[in-house]
Amino acid sequence: MRITRRKLIGSTVRVGLGFGLSRPLWACGEAPVAPPPSPEKALLTFPPELTDGSLSAARASQVIRPGLSAELWTLGRTYPSPTIRRRRGDTFELELTNELGEDTNIHWHGLSVPADMDGHPRDSVADGQARVYRFPIAQRAGTYWYHPHPHERTAKQVYLGMAGFFIVGDEEEDQIDLPRGELDVPLLLQDRRLTTGAIEYVPTMGDVANGYLGETLFVNGVPSARLEVASTLYRFRALNGSNARTFKLAFADGRSMHLIGTDGGLIDAPVATNELWLAPAERADLLVDFSSDPIGTSVKWMSESFAVGDAGAGHGGHGSAGTLVRQGARLELLQIDVARAGPPRTVPTSLAQLERLDPTAALRTRTFELIPREGVTSGMHVINGQVFALDRIDEEVPFGELEIWRVESKDSVSIHPMHLHGAQFRVVSRSGLALPSDRGWKDTVLVFPNETVELAVRFTDYRGAYLFHCHTLEHEDDGMMLNVNVT
Ligand code: C2O
Ligand code: CU
Ligand code: CU
């Protein structure tokens, strides 16, 4: 495995736990003195990097924070899984060796790959076996990711640590003046339950209904993290890798973020916003400006409280964690400390050329009705009345034909982030308010309770069996998934 450790933001390079030891020490009486960051915060770290080679699915223990070593399930014996970086036009090849003790596989979320390379749960790798994934990267530059997708075990394996970034670059993106190198920061956002002092996946019936929610926010595998930045413009690649928690991203001081990219790469022009929804599996590529912040400024990046998808209240919480664990609870994601001076930079005015999908040219409309568990005799999550079956084809979709997929949520409680394999799509309409992310290429779309969202979908890369499912992983494993056969 070719792995390199990426240089960290800040002056210390460390993998695992990092503490803020690199603060300047000021002589007594000298001003201004940056207030010391709260001591319990750990410096954000980054996973190792990999281009190709091999990865083993294996259990490994890792120090999560002082005094807490967790038994994790990993790809490559590290949590998060290694960050893969490749260019459009490359051929990617990786051998997965399964030493986990149960079936697993890898799905390349957001990448368009041949159906037999896509990590369909039918294509799992048994314990003790290996398989090679090999595919060309024909994708736009963007922030993609990978995780296991075995039948009814995705939620557990992802929760226990198996997920990583797959970042693709291309020439179109190279030509745009965007922050690069250490100013381009991948941030994997995940909530975890640490109430028992361990990382364990033991869902109750309530957790299956509402999703497995945690009270502690991990960024790149670090709980209660802080990031040291220079006073300049940054690119944050936010990936919501939570099983079920939706974030409403905002800075505590109200500063704006500029959305520059969505699941399928750059959008046409930056959109300034103070708030941004990010449901499980969605990615947001953001520019955040710290250029006018004096050194010593400390900003908190939050998930603000919200009242939709609120069934988590009273479920799954223990004692005081009960109120925090609920969907929509206000949580701190990351403390950002402006620690040194940086060059002033501006947000570009235009970004990428976006192909339009003209919804009036669609050849047909398909409807997908989302019904909560309670409303169904099987007691499981369904789409169009069906619980997922490995070998049943639910939709036959002609290759290359533009369609409208109408997703109607009949659920008054839960958010359902609907995800499609094998193609990126566009959001055509939403019965609720339009979201800034609706203007880009998407593979996962946030569907609010009782909302109807219309998508323009066209498969242009490969034929074969792909999946359409809710990316609340407990819902997916509980049957909220269909087989889509592209013919
Ligand atoms: Cu990220 Cu079918 O999943
Ligand atoms: Cu996917
Ligand atoms: Cu769902």
Side-chain angles (χ1 to χ4, degrees):
M1 162 162 70
R2 275 190 278 141
I3 274 193
T4 55
R5 304 238 178 233
R6 186 175 178 225
K7 212 167 143 279
L8 299 186
I9 310 297
S11 49
T12 49
V13 176
R14 221 171 265 238
V15 169
L17 277 181
F19 294 95
L21 301 176
S22 57
R23 291 199 303 280
L25 296 170
W26 303 86
C28 277
E30 255 182 36
V33 178
S38 41
E40 74 276 13
K41 300 275 181 205
L43 204 58
L44 186 71
T45 58
F46 297 88
E49 300 220 340
L50 160 157
T51 50
D52 52 23
S54 63
L55 273 184
S56 39
R59 302 180 194 208
S61 59
Q62 187 164 318
V63 176
I64 295 296
R65 66 178 179 209
L68 175 59
S69 164
E71 184 69 29
L72 297 170
W73 291 22
T74 70
L75 287 162
R77 296 193 160 76
T78 172
Y79 164 61
S81 308
T83 296
I84 298 171
R85 278 180 202 270
R86 296 307 297 259
R87 305 269 305 170
R88 178 181 202 165
D90 289 354
T91 294
F92 176 72
E93 185 172 319
L94 180 133
E95 180 180 54
L96 169 68
T97 311
N98 185 1
E99 300 164 24
L100 209 53
E102 66 176 43
D103 283 8
T104 192
N105 66 4
I106 301 180
H107 167 58
W108 313 95
H109 183 125
L111 293 168
S112 192
V113 306
D116 62 345
M117 295 290 152
D118 194 48
H120 191 285
R122 276 190 311 215
D123 294 323
S124 56
V125 181
D127 183 43
Q129 302 295 303
R131 78 155 289 176
V132 173
Y133 291 95
R134 186 171 199 277
F135 51 84
I137 297 168
Q139 205 80 18
R140 298 181 76 217
T143 306
Y144 307 98
W145 62 302
Y146 66 104
H147 61 76
H149 217 298
H151 191 46
E152 295 175 344
R153 289 189 161 94
T154 299
K156 177 185 184 188
Q157 294 187 5
V158 171
Y159 185 87
L160 292 177
M162 301 166 79
F165 280 99
F166 195 125
I167 294 174
V168 175
D170 71 6
E171 273 160 32
E172 184 187 30
E173 190 183 72
D174 289 349
Q175 273 147 33
I176 304 165
D177 182 27
L178 293 171
R180 290 180 212 291
E182 65 171 27
L183 305 181
D184 174 353
V185 189
L187 298 168
L188 169 63
L189 310 175
Q190 296 177 306
D191 62 333
R192 292 292 180 263
R193 270 180 212 178
L194 289 183
T195 45
T196 62
I199 295 185
E200 296 167 315
Y201 189 73
V202 280
T204 61
M205 292 291 279
D207 291 327
V208 174
N210 305 312
Y212 204 74
L213 299 162
E215 77 298 329
T216 303
L217 219 295
F218 282 58
V219 183
N220 296 348
V222 179
S224 311
R226 71 180 194 90
L227 171 68
E228 288 189 352
V229 297
S231 54
T232 186
L233 187 70
Y234 275 76
R235 178 178 186 173
F236 285 177
R237 299 178 188 252
L239 156 59
N240 186 345
S242 305
N243 281 34
R245 186 175 292 283
T246 292
F247 298 117
K248 190 182 182 186
L249 304 176
F251 285 95
D253 65 0
R255 76 180 58 206
S256 60
M257 306 167 265
H258 300 264
L259 180 73
I260 59 164
T262 53
D263 305 338
L266 294 175
I267 55 176
D268 51 351
V271 181
T273 179
N274 305 95
E275 255 176 32
L276 194 75
W277 292 95
L278 197 70
E282 285 192 295
R283 287 86 71 205
D285 233 310
L286 302 165
L287 295 181
V288 185
D289 194 3
F290 302 101
S291 6
S292 46
D293 292 305
I295 293 172
T297 303
S298 183
V299 197
K300 290 188 189 305
W301 201 29
M302 307 296 298
S303 181
E304 289 299 338
S305 65
F306 59 88
V308 294
D310 213 358
H315 288 289
H318 319 275
S320 61
T323 49
L324 272 179
V325 82
R326 160 182 85 72
Q327 181 73 285
R330 186 170 194 261
L331 289 169
E332 182 179 331
L333 305 175
L334 185 65
Q335 175 178 308
I336 300 166
D337 296 319
V338 181
R340 57 191 187 280
R345 288 179 73 109
T346 49
V347 173
T349 50
S350 72
L351 297 165
Q353 214 63 46
L354 275 199
E355 189 204 347
R356 293 233 155 273
L357 287 183
D358 175 10
T360 63
L363 294 177
R364 65 190 70 78
T365 298
R366 279 171 214 273
T367 302
F368 299 89
E369 211 180 41
L370 312 179
I371 305 171
R373 217 169 190 264
E374 291 71 26
V376 173
T377 42
S378 64
M380 293 179 79
H381 283 87
V382 296
I383 305 173
N384 289 343
Q386 300 275 25
V387 171
F388 179 67
L390 268 181
D391 294 311
R392 185 192 64 233
I393 297 294
D394 298 289
E395 306 290 330
E396 297 271 4
V397 180
F399 181 85
E401 293 188 2
L402 182 63
E403 302 192 340
I404 300 296
W405 288 21
R406 195 178 151 83
V407 181
E408 296 178 3
S409 174
K410 298 288 161 59
D411 185 338
S412 58
V413 177
S414 294
I415 287 171
H416 298 287
M418 297 303 294
H419 169 54
L420 180 63
H421 290 214
Q424 294 277 334
F425 54 78
R426 302 296 292 271
V427 177
V428 173
S429 73
R430 181 185 282 285
S431 61
L433 291 179
L435 306 180
S437 55
D438 288 348
R439 67 194 276 167
W441 286 101
K442 297 288 292 170
D443 55 59
T444 307
V445 65
L446 198 176
V447 182
F448 286 104
N450 291 324
E451 199 175 36
T452 293
V453 178
E454 288 184 316
L455 313 173
V457 176
R458 189 175 57 185
F459 289 86
T460 51
D461 298 330
Y462 300 102
R463 294 176 159 83
Y466 292 97
L467 295 162
F468 185 49
H469 65 86
C470 179
H471 219 288
T472 294
L473 296 179
E474 286 69 33
H475 296 177
E476 173 190 331
D477 282 355
D478 192 47
M480 202 168 202
M481 176 153 73
L482 298 180
N483 276 308
V484 172
N485 192 29
V486 180
T487 54

